Structures are given as structure tokens and as C-alpha cells.
Amino acid sequence: MTTKKMAIIATKGTLDMAYPPFILASTAAALGYEVQIFFTFYGLQLLRKDLSDVKISPLANPAMPMPVPMPVLVAALPGMESMATMMMKDKIKKKGVASIEELRSACIEGGVKFIGCEMTVDLFDFKREDFIDGIEYGGAATFMKFAGETDVCLFI
Amino acid sequence: MTTKKMAIIATKGTLDMAYPPFILASTAAALGYEVQIFFTFYGLQLLRKDLSDVKISPLANPAMPMPVPMPVLVAALPGMESMATMMMKDKIKKKGVASIEELRSACIEGGVKFIGCEMTVDLFDFKREDFIDGIEYGGAATFMKFAGETDVCLFI
Amino acid sequence: MTTKKMAIIATKGTLDMAYPPFILASTAAALGYEVQIFFTFYGLQLLRKDLSDVKISPLANPAMPMPVPMPVLVAALPGMESMATMMMKDKIKKKGVASIEELRSACIEGGVKFIGCEMTVDLFDFKREDFIDGIEYGGAATFMKFAGETDVCLFI
């Protein structure tokens, strides 16, 4: 039996959209998949050693469940992004859901390969020393070679 | 000939992004595919019995075609989200496009399997009685087992 | 050896999310893939002859790397969308990254097939004469027939 393969392209860097790549990748790894995540655009924020700046925005997402209804202009006030982030992190903790740091570690322990998009690192002036160790850097062509052999390939 | 399979991970809960999962799933079902949709994060909003709160945001999407150009601060005014939603629904009706309720029903009639993400239901304090009947609840591991056998797997 | 196939559903019309479909499609085409992009919803904006209106929004994306931290209300001020777009285009140029016009041309030269979603063209009152030549128009059913045979299928 050949090993199943999964590839994920992680392009978002917000707290909510940080969960899907790490949950799906760690789950697939636990099921015996060979997994690679290609971090590009805002997704590169998820490779930082320090993830405390990963935030959620209460703006432009009327589907976000709110404890109290909040007018858009209030959601745009200074500090609301930090407040929404704090509330979400608090909820995650209370409900016993793993933090993104923990899920990222679970991916690494499960053998998930992290690839940073060279072009975006350069474009956004990211510094490689801000990122965790053990990352490979590459471009779309390298990644496509793996993606073309996968059973599941997701763009997040 | 084996039956083709499609899996969709529906993570968005806005009016515009409600269309792709239901259109693609009902189309695939009509073509004879076995289809499963895994509703997680904001996507769970699409499982509510009452879909009247599913809205569109005119913010942070400069690609949205507008009848008249609208400054960002105007788009942030109270009531603009509801107005944009009303205008979009009106357009959908006038153009003879199916509503999301109709497309969701078409999915169910076509045998599409709906799975609600247990973790997010709990995290966001959703109530199962607010959701339509006939939904299964499960986690990423259960879903991955189906996803790994599909011909098409999409993250929306 | 059979030719590998990739399908992309392009639903976003912002400057940042214009890159992934064109980069991945042109890369896959260069690697010998048969590629189709189905442009639907805001993704149809990427088919315009004139792409100068394709903008980036500094709102609702706390993961966007900013030269200086910017409060949300400042990001909502008139002109900030245009300024963020100008700054991003300037950076793209300075870093020697291809423009979306260039990447779109690379796709066409590489034989990537562009399909415009008939339903959305009609829904959003797009005019076919505003779009570049050589586009086919079709619906989800036509596209699914190709998607079901692909090695990689992405929803962007």
C-alpha cells in the first residue's frame, strides 16, 4: 500500500484561518499521510517563532458569532481587533481547544514538512531569523511537483 | 465504473461564499458524485434552519461590483451591511438565481451528506437545535478518511 | 504517461489574491500540465482587459505586513485603499515580481484555458466586451467534468 499524501497551501495569517492548515495537517499526519504545507502570502505569519501577533478581525465577516451584536463602526474602533483576539483566545482556552502553537508543534512532531515561499518572504521583507527552525524555502515549481502526486491538495 | 467522490470543507458563512459549496455540491451530486460537505468555523452558519441572518459585507472587498462607487467609511456606516445584503438578494431574485435555501435543499435531495464540525459547534456555542435535521457531527479525522478517497476536495 | 491536469476556481478579485491562480496555473503549465481556470464571483474581475482597478484592502486583514502599524479607523479613511494598492504595486515592481498582467499573459501563452462563469457574469452585470479575448463561458456542470479528472483542483 502506498502512503497517502496531502499538500496544503496556507495563504492566510489570521487567528481563525491559522487553525485549518494545522488541524488538517496534524490530523492527516496522525493517519499516516505524508504532508507538506506551503506557506505563502499572509500564511508566512504562521511560521514566526512568536505567534502573539496573530490576530482576528471583527470586520467584514458578518458570519462571526458575537457575544453581543456590534455595529461595524464600533468594530472599527481602536483596540477592537485586540479585544476580539483576546476574547477568541480566551474561548479557545476555556473550551480546551489547542492553541495554534500547540497544533504547529503537533505538525512538526508528526513529520509535516513546512515550506516557506521564497518569493513572498522577499516581497514582504520577512526575516528568516523570525521564523522557526527546520523550514525549507522554495517556489511554486518545487511545491507543484509534490502537489501533483497528492491525494488531497487544499488552498487555504 | 466506480462512483466519483467530492469533499468540500465549507468555512465561510457570508451570503456570497454560501453559494460555492452548495452550487458545486448539488452540481456534482446531479452528475452522480458521492458528495460530503464538512461545515466548520463560520461555515456552520449555513446549517441554520433560518438563513435570514446570512449577510454580505461591503467592507474589505474592493472587487465587489457596486452600483455606485462607495467610500470605505460609508460602507462602514450602520445599516450598510444589511443594505448590501438586501441589494444582493434582490439582484439574485431578479436574475432568477436560486436562493441559498433552494440550493441547500437541492443538495439534500441529491443525497449530499452534511457533516457539522463538533469542535467548532462547541467553540462557538452553536446550538444543534438551531440547525436543520439530518446532519451528522464529527471531527477532522472522520472527515479526512472520506477526503483521502475523493477525486475532488475543496477548501472554501 | 498521461498528461497531468490542474483545475482552479478563482473567486477573489483583489490584488493579493489575483496572484495565486495566475502563479500556480502558469507554473503548472510550464511543468506540462493541462490547466483550466474557472473565474467566478469576484474572480471575474481578473478577466478585465484593464486591470488597473484591481485593488488591495488594508481592512480586516491584521496579517498584512505594514510599513507602520495603522489603526483600523485610519485604514478606513478615503484613499487608503488606493494608497495600499499603490504601495503594494510599487513593492512588487521594486522586488522584480511579475505584474498580474504579465502572469495572466504567461498563462495564456502556456495554453491555460480561461472559463468565465456564465451565471456570475449575468448576476453582476459584467460586460463580455470588458473582458480579454479567448475566454470560454460555461457553468459549474461543464467545469466539474474537467475538475473530476484532475490531479490537483483548488478553490481560491
Side-chain angles (χ1 to χ4, degrees), chain B residues 15 18-19 22-23 26 88-89 91-106, chain C residues 41 119 123:
Chain B
L15 180 60
Y19 273 89
F22 291 136
I23 288 179
S26 56
M88 179 61 80
K89 283 188 180 171
K91 215 168 199 187
I92 286 166
K93 211 171 171 183
K94 268 189 192 148
K95 296 284 185 177
V97 172
S99 67
I100 48 174
E101 285 86 350
E102 288 166 332
L103 286 168
R104 186 173 68 176
S105 298
Chain C
F41 285 85
M119 189 199 79
L123 180 64

Side-chain angles (χ1 to χ4, degrees), chain C residues 28-149:
Chain C
L31 293 169
Y33 279 62
E34 182 187 341
V35 188
Q36 291 193 9
I37 310 180
F38 185 69
F39 294 88
T40 183
F41 285 85
Y42 315 116
L44 281 165
Q45 304 276 19
L46 307 181
L47 291 178
R48 287 183 184 282
K49 281 174 199 155
D50 177 5
L51 291 174
S52 60
D53 269 343
V54 172
K55 287 202 178 90
I56 201 168
S57 171
L59 277 180
N61 183 10
M64 188 180 293
M66 287 286 182
V68 284
M70 194 192 288
V72 172
L73 272 181
V74 173
L77 289 178
M80 289 310 280
E81 209 165 77
S82 299
M83 204 186 87
T85 303
M86 207 190 62
M87 282 171 60
M88 178 63 79
K89 283 188 180 171
D90 191 52
K91 213 168 201 189
I92 286 166
K93 213 172 169 181
K94 269 188 192 149
K95 297 284 185 178
V97 172
S99 68
I100 48 172
E101 285 86 351
E102 288 166 330
L103 286 167
R104 185 172 70 177
S105 297
C107 286
I108 295 168
E109 280 155 34
V112 174
K113 193 167 157 180
F114 288 175
I115 302 159
C117 171
E118 264 181 333
M119 189 199 79
T120 332
V121 168
D122 185 45
L123 180 64
F124 286 158
D125 293 311
F126 281 116
K127 289 187 186 64
R128 291 192 186 196
E129 58 265 32
D130 289 341
F131 293 149
I132 53 171
D133 295 329
I135 299 164
E136 281 184 33
Y137 293 90
T142 319
F143 180 70
M144 273 307 299
K145 277 169 202 163
F146 177 73
E149 307 296 332

Side-chain angles (χ1 to χ4, degrees), chain B residues 19-75:
Chain B
Y19 273 89
F22 291 136
I23 288 179
L24 291 165
S26 56
T27 302
L31 292 169
Y33 279 62
E34 182 188 340
V35 187
Q36 292 194 8
I37 310 180
F38 185 69
F39 295 88
T40 183
F41 284 85
Y42 315 116
L44 281 165
Q45 304 277 18
L46 307 181
L47 291 178
R48 287 182 184 283
K49 282 174 198 154
D50 178 5
L51 290 174
S52 61
D53 270 343
V54 172
K55 289 203 178 90
I56 201 168
S57 170
L59 276 181
N61 184 8
M64 189 180 294
M66 287 286 183
V68 285
M70 194 192 288
V72 172
L73 271 181
V74 172

